[in-house]
Amino acid sequence: DGGTRAQYGVRLTNDGNATAQGVNLLAMLPNGARLISAAPTGQADSTGSRANWSVGALSPGASRDFTLEFELALPGDNRFEVRATGESNLAGSGAVLTRVEALADLKLTVNDPQGPRPVGADSVYEVVIVNRGTKAAENVNINAFFSRGIEPVSVEGIAGDLLEGQVQFRTLARIEAGQELKARIVARAEEPGNHEIRIEVECANPETRLLAQDSTRYFASSPQGVELAPEQERFGTRPAPPQEFQPIPR
Protein backbone atom coordinates (compact mmCIF):
# COMPACT_ATOMS: atom_id res chain seq x y z
CA ASP A 1 0.00 0.00 0.00
CA GLY A 2 1.20 3.49 -0.71
CA GLY A 3 3.46 4.89 -3.43
CA THR A 4 6.72 3.90 -5.06
CA ARG A 5 9.80 3.79 -2.84
CA ALA A 6 12.92 5.49 -4.20
CA GLN A 7 16.45 5.69 -2.82
CA TYR A 8 18.96 8.38 -3.80
CA GLY A 9 22.63 8.90 -2.99
CA VAL A 10 24.10 12.41 -2.71
CA ARG A 11 27.84 13.16 -2.70
CA LEU A 12 28.97 16.59 -1.52
CA THR A 13 32.54 17.48 -2.59
CA ASN A 14 34.74 20.52 -1.95
CA ASP A 15 36.47 21.12 -5.30
CA GLY A 16 38.22 24.27 -4.04
CA ASN A 17 41.62 24.80 -2.44
CA ALA A 18 40.33 26.15 0.89
CA THR A 19 38.25 24.61 3.66
CA ALA A 20 34.53 25.30 3.36
CA GLN A 21 33.08 26.41 6.69
CA GLY A 22 29.53 26.21 8.02
CA VAL A 23 28.34 23.87 5.28
CA ASN A 24 24.67 22.85 5.26
CA LEU A 25 22.92 20.46 2.88
CA LEU A 26 19.20 20.67 2.10
CA ALA A 27 17.26 18.01 0.16
CA MET A 28 13.85 18.93 -1.27
CA LEU A 29 11.58 16.02 -2.12
CA PRO A 30 9.13 15.93 -5.04
CA ASN A 31 5.58 17.13 -4.48
CA GLY A 32 3.58 14.62 -2.49
CA ALA A 33 6.63 12.54 -1.52
CA ARG A 34 7.09 11.27 2.03
CA LEU A 35 10.52 10.96 3.63
CA ILE A 36 11.32 7.55 5.11
CA SER A 37 14.98 7.94 6.10
CA ALA A 38 17.90 10.37 5.69
CA ALA A 39 21.33 8.98 6.55
CA PRO A 40 23.52 9.74 8.29
CA THR A 41 21.58 11.67 10.94
CA GLY A 42 19.57 13.87 8.59
CA GLN A 43 16.78 15.95 10.09
CA ALA A 44 13.33 16.09 8.48
CA ASP A 45 11.12 19.16 8.65
CA SER A 46 7.62 19.05 10.11
CA THR A 47 6.02 18.18 6.76
CA GLY A 48 8.40 15.31 5.99
CA SER A 49 9.05 16.80 2.55
CA ARG A 50 12.58 18.11 3.26
CA ALA A 51 15.72 16.85 4.96
CA ASN A 52 18.79 18.81 6.03
CA TRP A 53 22.25 18.10 7.37
CA SER A 54 24.62 20.33 9.27
CA VAL A 55 27.89 19.28 7.61
CA GLY A 56 30.22 21.82 9.23
CA ALA A 57 33.73 22.12 7.78
CA LEU A 58 34.70 20.39 4.53
CA SER A 59 38.40 20.26 3.64
CA PRO A 60 39.72 20.82 0.08
CA GLY A 61 39.09 17.69 -2.01
CA ALA A 62 37.02 16.06 0.74
CA SER A 63 33.64 14.42 0.10
CA ARG A 64 30.67 13.43 2.23
CA ASP A 65 28.02 10.89 1.19
CA PHE A 66 24.35 10.99 2.13
CA THR A 67 21.44 8.60 1.44
CA LEU A 68 17.74 9.35 1.30
CA GLU A 69 14.79 7.02 0.95
CA PHE A 70 11.32 8.35 0.33
CA GLU A 71 7.96 7.37 -1.12
CA LEU A 72 6.81 8.88 -4.40
CA ALA A 73 3.04 9.31 -4.45
CA LEU A 74 2.33 11.09 -7.74
CA PRO A 75 2.67 9.71 -11.28
CA GLY A 76 4.66 11.64 -13.88
CA ASP A 77 7.95 13.52 -13.49
CA ASN A 78 9.09 13.85 -9.87
CA ARG A 79 11.85 16.42 -9.27
CA PHE A 80 14.36 15.78 -6.48
CA GLU A 81 16.70 18.69 -5.67
CA VAL A 82 19.59 19.26 -3.26
CA ARG A 83 21.26 22.54 -2.30
CA ALA A 84 24.49 23.10 -0.36
CA THR A 85 25.40 26.40 1.28
CA GLY A 86 28.32 27.61 3.36
CA GLU A 87 30.03 30.72 4.72
CA SER A 88 31.33 33.39 2.33
CA ASN A 89 28.32 32.87 0.02
CA LEU A 90 29.29 29.36 -0.96
CA ALA A 91 26.49 27.58 -2.81
CA GLY A 92 25.91 24.57 -5.01
CA SER A 93 22.90 22.59 -6.21
CA GLY A 94 21.82 19.58 -8.21
CA ALA A 95 18.55 18.01 -9.33
CA VAL A 96 17.23 14.84 -10.93
CA LEU A 97 13.88 13.87 -12.47
CA THR A 98 12.31 10.48 -11.81
CA ARG A 99 9.36 9.42 -13.92
CA VAL A 100 6.72 7.35 -12.13
CA GLU A 101 4.25 5.30 -14.17
CA ALA A 102 0.82 4.74 -12.61
CA LEU A 103 -0.21 1.07 -12.60
CA ALA A 104 -3.03 -1.00 -11.16
CA ASP A 105 -2.07 -3.91 -8.90
CA LEU A 106 -4.89 -6.25 -7.93
CA LYS A 107 -4.72 -8.66 -5.00
CA LEU A 108 -7.25 -11.48 -4.50
CA THR A 109 -8.05 -13.18 -1.18
CA VAL A 110 -10.64 -15.85 -0.37
CA ASN A 111 -11.70 -16.45 3.24
CA ASP A 112 -13.50 -19.77 3.55
CA PRO A 113 -15.61 -20.80 6.59
CA GLN A 114 -13.86 -22.60 9.42
CA GLY A 115 -14.47 -26.33 9.08
CA PRO A 116 -15.62 -28.94 9.42
CA ARG A 117 -19.13 -27.72 8.66
CA PRO A 118 -22.46 -29.62 8.79
CA VAL A 119 -24.23 -30.52 5.58
CA GLY A 120 -27.26 -28.27 4.96
CA ALA A 121 -25.96 -25.32 6.99
CA ASP A 122 -25.32 -21.93 5.37
CA SER A 123 -21.60 -21.25 4.97
CA VAL A 124 -20.13 -17.86 4.08
CA TYR A 125 -17.22 -17.47 1.67
CA GLU A 126 -15.70 -13.99 1.56
CA VAL A 127 -13.98 -12.73 -1.60
CA VAL A 128 -11.73 -9.67 -1.20
CA ILE A 129 -10.18 -7.74 -4.09
CA VAL A 130 -7.83 -4.82 -3.41
CA ASN A 131 -6.19 -2.48 -5.90
CA ARG A 132 -2.77 -1.85 -4.36
CA GLY A 133 -1.59 0.20 -7.32
CA THR A 134 -1.69 3.90 -8.18
CA LYS A 135 -4.08 3.62 -11.14
CA ALA A 136 -7.59 2.27 -11.57
CA ALA A 137 -8.06 -1.28 -12.87
CA GLU A 138 -10.62 -1.41 -15.68
CA ASN A 139 -13.08 -4.05 -16.92
CA VAL A 140 -12.64 -6.59 -14.13
CA ASN A 141 -14.43 -9.94 -14.41
CA ILE A 142 -14.88 -12.26 -11.40
CA ASN A 143 -16.21 -15.82 -11.34
CA ALA A 144 -16.65 -18.25 -8.45
CA PHE A 145 -16.79 -22.01 -9.09
CA PHE A 146 -17.93 -24.66 -6.57
CA SER A 147 -17.22 -28.38 -6.67
CA ARG A 148 -19.97 -31.03 -6.84
CA GLY A 149 -22.08 -31.37 -3.72
CA ILE A 150 -22.25 -27.69 -2.77
CA GLU A 151 -24.33 -24.88 -4.27
CA PRO A 152 -24.26 -21.08 -3.89
CA VAL A 153 -27.57 -19.74 -2.58
CA SER A 154 -26.95 -15.97 -2.33
CA VAL A 155 -24.36 -13.27 -2.95
CA GLU A 156 -23.97 -9.71 -1.69
CA GLY A 157 -21.40 -6.91 -1.82
CA ILE A 158 -20.74 -7.25 -5.55
CA ALA A 159 -23.64 -7.85 -7.95
CA GLY A 160 -23.64 -11.34 -9.41
CA ASP A 161 -25.84 -14.05 -10.91
CA LEU A 162 -26.29 -17.49 -9.34
CA LEU A 163 -25.78 -20.38 -11.75
CA GLU A 164 -25.44 -24.10 -11.15
CA GLY A 165 -22.27 -24.46 -9.10
CA GLN A 166 -21.17 -20.97 -10.01
CA VAL A 167 -21.47 -17.26 -9.22
CA GLN A 168 -20.93 -15.03 -12.24
CA PHE A 169 -20.28 -11.49 -11.07
CA ARG A 170 -21.19 -8.50 -13.19
CA THR A 171 -18.24 -6.87 -14.93
CA LEU A 172 -16.72 -4.10 -12.83
CA ALA A 173 -15.96 -1.03 -14.96
CA ARG A 174 -13.29 0.25 -12.54
CA ILE A 175 -11.60 -0.57 -9.26
CA GLU A 176 -9.96 2.65 -8.14
CA ALA A 177 -6.44 2.86 -6.75
CA GLY A 178 -6.54 1.92 -3.07
CA GLN A 179 -10.11 0.61 -3.30
CA GLU A 180 -11.13 -2.63 -1.58
CA LEU A 181 -14.17 -4.63 -2.66
CA LYS A 182 -15.75 -7.50 -0.73
CA ALA A 183 -18.31 -10.08 -1.80
CA ARG A 184 -20.01 -12.59 0.51
CA ILE A 185 -21.17 -15.81 -1.07
CA VAL A 186 -23.50 -18.00 1.00
CA ALA A 187 -23.28 -21.65 -0.05
CA ARG A 188 -24.96 -24.81 1.20
CA ALA A 189 -23.42 -28.29 1.03
CA GLU A 190 -25.73 -31.07 -0.13
CA GLU A 191 -23.31 -33.93 0.43
CA PRO A 192 -20.57 -34.63 2.99
CA GLY A 193 -16.91 -34.49 1.99
CA ASN A 194 -14.33 -31.93 0.95
CA HIS A 195 -15.88 -29.15 -1.15
CA GLU A 196 -13.82 -26.56 -2.99
CA ILE A 197 -14.32 -23.01 -4.14
CA ARG A 198 -12.22 -21.37 -6.82
CA ILE A 199 -12.22 -17.66 -7.62
CA GLU A 200 -10.94 -16.41 -10.96
CA VAL A 201 -10.32 -12.72 -11.68
CA GLU A 202 -9.47 -11.29 -15.08
CA CYS A 203 -8.72 -7.64 -15.78
CA ALA A 204 -8.45 -6.09 -19.24
CA ASN A 205 -6.38 -3.05 -18.27
CA PRO A 206 -3.77 -3.84 -17.15
CA GLU A 207 -3.98 -7.44 -18.36
CA THR A 208 -4.22 -9.46 -15.14
CA ARG A 209 -5.28 -13.00 -14.21
CA LEU A 210 -5.64 -14.09 -10.61
CA LEU A 211 -6.69 -17.41 -9.07
CA ALA A 212 -7.50 -18.39 -5.49
CA GLN A 213 -8.80 -21.79 -4.33
CA ASP A 214 -9.73 -23.26 -0.97
CA SER A 215 -11.36 -26.37 0.48
CA THR A 216 -13.78 -26.91 3.37
CA ARG A 217 -14.74 -30.23 4.98
CA TYR A 218 -18.47 -30.98 5.44
CA PHE A 219 -19.95 -33.76 7.57
CA ALA A 220 -23.32 -35.48 7.91
CA SER A 221 -24.78 -36.22 11.33
CA SER A 222 -26.11 -39.67 12.19
CA PRO A 223 -27.67 -41.17 15.32
CA GLN A 224 -24.32 -42.80 16.08
CA GLY A 225 -22.46 -39.51 15.84
CA VAL A 226 -20.63 -37.80 13.02
CA GLU A 227 -20.14 -39.63 9.77
CA LEU A 228 -17.58 -38.36 7.28
CA ALA A 229 -18.21 -39.38 3.69
CA PRO A 230 -15.37 -40.72 1.58
CA GLU A 231 -13.82 -38.55 -1.10
CA GLN A 232 -16.22 -38.15 -3.98
CA GLU A 233 -15.73 -37.13 -7.59
CA ARG A 234 -15.45 -33.35 -7.70
CA PHE A 235 -16.30 -30.64 -10.15
CA GLY A 236 -18.00 -32.80 -12.86
CA THR A 237 -20.09 -31.00 -15.46
CA ARG A 238 -20.15 -27.43 -14.16
CA PRO A 239 -19.93 -24.69 -16.81
CA ALA A 240 -16.28 -24.60 -17.88
CA PRO A 241 -14.19 -21.61 -16.79
CA PRO A 242 -11.92 -19.85 -19.32
CA GLN A 243 -9.45 -22.14 -21.08
CA GLU A 244 -6.48 -20.48 -19.41
CA PHE A 245 -7.49 -22.17 -16.13
CA GLN A 246 -7.94 -25.86 -15.43
CA PRO A 247 -11.66 -26.70 -14.95
CA ILE A 248 -12.79 -27.66 -11.47
CA PRO A 249 -13.94 -31.31 -11.60
CA ARG A 250 -17.48 -31.95 -10.43
Side-chain angles (χ1 to χ4, degrees):
D1 303 323
T4 301
R5 287 200 173 195
Q7 189 176 77
Y8 293 84
V10 178
R11 174 165 290 180
L12 179 63
T13 302
N14 182 359
D15 290 327
N17 56 14
T19 298
Q21 300 288 346
V23 178
N24 287 281
L25 180 67
L26 174 66
M28 290 165 287
L29 278 57
N31 289 335
R34 180 180 66 86
L35 183 66
I36 297 172
S37 64
T41 62
Q43 300 295 317
D45 68 2
S46 59
T47 66
S49 62
R50 294 189 177 194
N52 62 79
W53 292 264
S54 179
V55 181
L58 195 63
S59 303
S63 296
R64 293 280 302 277
D65 291 327
F66 307 89
T67 303
L68 296 98
E69 184 177 10
F70 48 87
E71 195 174 76
L72 298 168
L74 301 178
D77 290 333
N78 285 256
R79 180 181 174 86
F80 170 59
E81 185 176 358
V82 290
R83 296 176 185 172
T85 58
E87 295 178 3
S88 302
N89 295 321
L90 287 175
S93 64
V96 63
L97 285 178
T98 300
R99 185 163 186 80
V100 176
E101 297 289 344
L103 295 173
D105 179 19
L106 295 179
K107 179 182 179 182
L108 169 65
T109 305
V110 177
N111 299 315
D112 66 322
Q114 183 177 354
R117 299 278 299 161
V119 167
D122 286 350
S123 298
V124 176
Y125 294 82
E126 184 180 63
V127 180
V128 183
I129 301 176
V130 181
N131 184 357
R132 302 177 296 183
T134 55
K135 181 181 179 181
E138 300 177 345
N139 297 323
V140 181
N141 289 294
I142 311 166
N143 285 285
F145 299 93
F146 287 88
S147 60
R148 175 174 295 178
I150 184 171
E151 292 291 336
V153 295
S154 67
V155 60
E156 61 182 39
I158 303 176
D161 298 318
L162 300 177
L163 307 175
E164 183 183 0
Q166 182 182 355
V167 178
Q168 191 175 74
F169 292 92
R170 314 284 173 80
T171 298
L172 300 173
R174 293 170 66 88
I175 301 179
E176 300 294 341
Q179 186 178 5
E180 178 183 273
L181 296 178
K182 291 184 179 180
R184 296 175 77 254
I185 302 173
V186 177
R188 194 173 299 147
E190 302 166 340
E191 303 171 6
N194 287 323
H195 297 309
E196 296 185 10
I197 181 175
R198 185 170 74 198
I199 307 297
E200 296 173 4
V201 174
E202 291 191 352
C203 176
N205 184 22
E207 185 176 350
T208 304
R209 294 173 182 170
L210 302 175
L211 170 68
Q213 187 164 321
D214 219 324
S215 175
T216 304
R217 185 74 173 171
Y218 287 84
F219 64 87
S221 298
S222 68
Q224 290 75 32
V226 174
E227 176 186 341
L228 293 179
E231 292 288 343
Q232 72 268 23
E233 178 190 359
R234 297 177 296 166
F235 297 103
T237 57
R238 294 294 195 191
Q243 293 181 356
E244 291 81 355
F245 300 109
Q246 292 297 319
I248 300 181
R250 294 272 304 175

